[in-house]
Amino acid sequence: MPSFDIVSEFDSHEAANAVDQANREVQTRFDFKGVDASFSLEGEKVALEAEVDFQLKQMLDVLRNRLIARGIDARCMDVQDPVLSGVKARQEVILKQGLDQAEAKDVVKRIKASKLKVQAQIQGEKVRVTGKKRDDLQSVMTLLRSEEGPELPLQFDNFRD
């Protein structure tokens, strides 16, 4: 029976490369000349550090562009509120991986509402979709990629006939 898995992942090596490129871009940009601004990656968290809040917003755009250029969906970014202290401004961006329970239930609900002849089951941090016809499975992929789909960075893995 044909099946595939719906997951939400990114390549952590590409994320590290994107953070390195963003660091280099900030160091060479004219508007950051003489400013102590940097990115650091700790696991799945990217810490942004600058002198003022305005620079954090610019750095966030640089990071988003670098992630997109490296093939990482920008929707995986969970931007936290900036923390402003006297001399420094800090902000964290959490790169989300995996579908949590609520998101997985939402994906299953959307699939069932489409009335396609497929079954969807939650298996940990992924959703397994099975059906009798390959075309039905491809219709599910199209549905989830469309504008009616969830606002999540979804990938489709493990397609089997």
Side-chain angles (χ1 to χ4, degrees), residues 76-102:
C76 75
M77 293 174 51
D78 183 17
V79 181
Q80 306 296 313
D81 292 331
V83 177
L84 305 173
S85 63
V87 181
K88 290 279 183 192
R90 292 182 180 87
Q91 188 171 18
E92 279 192 348
V93 176
I94 299 171
L95 301 174
K96 297 186 298 184
Q97 282 206 108
L99 294 172
D100 64 11
Q101 200 68 21

Side-chain angles (χ1 to χ4, degrees), residues 32 37-39 49-50 55-63:
F32 280 94
S38 65
F39 296 91
E49 192 170 300
Q55 292 169 340
L56 285 178
K57 291 177 184 171
Q58 289 179 320
M59 290 174 65
L60 197 58
D61 286 338
V62 169
L63 178 63

Side-chain angles (χ1 to χ4, degrees), residues 36-71:
D36 185 25
S38 65
F39 296 91
S40 61
L41 180 67
E42 299 132 17
E44 293 183 357
K45 290 183 183 178
V46 180
L48 286 72
E49 192 170 300
E51 293 178 357
V52 291
D53 184 36
F54 175 74
Q55 292 169 340
L56 285 178
K57 291 177 184 171
Q58 289 179 320
M59 290 174 65
L60 197 58
D61 286 338
V62 169
L63 178 63
R64 183 175 288 117
N65 291 335
R66 291 293 147 211
L67 287 171
I68 291 170
R70 284 294 191 167

Side-chain angles (χ1 to χ4, degrees), residues 123-148:
Q123 295 182 342
E125 291 189 341
K126 62 184 177 182
V127 176
R128 165 91 29 102
V129 180
T130 58
K132 289 185 179 178
K133 296 182 182 175
R134 175 184 234 183
D135 293 342
D136 290 339
L137 297 180
Q138 290 172 339
S139 298
V140 170
M141 289 180 191
T142 305
L143 169 80
L144 293 175
R145 285 188 184 126
S146 71
E147 302 220 356
E148 294 87 36

Side-chain angles (χ1 to χ4, degrees), residues 149-161:
E151 283 296 316
L152 299 170
L154 298 177
Q155 293 85 33
F156 306 105
D157 278 354
N158 207 11
F159 194 95
R160 299 207 174 150
D161 256 340

Side-chain angles (χ1 to χ4, degrees), residues 6 98-111 120-127 152:
I6 301 170
L99 294 172
D100 64 11
Q101 200 68 21
E103 292 169 340
K105 284 182 180 179
D106 181 47
V107 168
V108 170
K109 186 173 87 173
R110 289 173 190 266
I111 292 171
Q121 338 172 299
I122 301 172
Q123 295 182 342
E125 291 189 341
K126 62 184 177 182
V127 176
L152 299 170

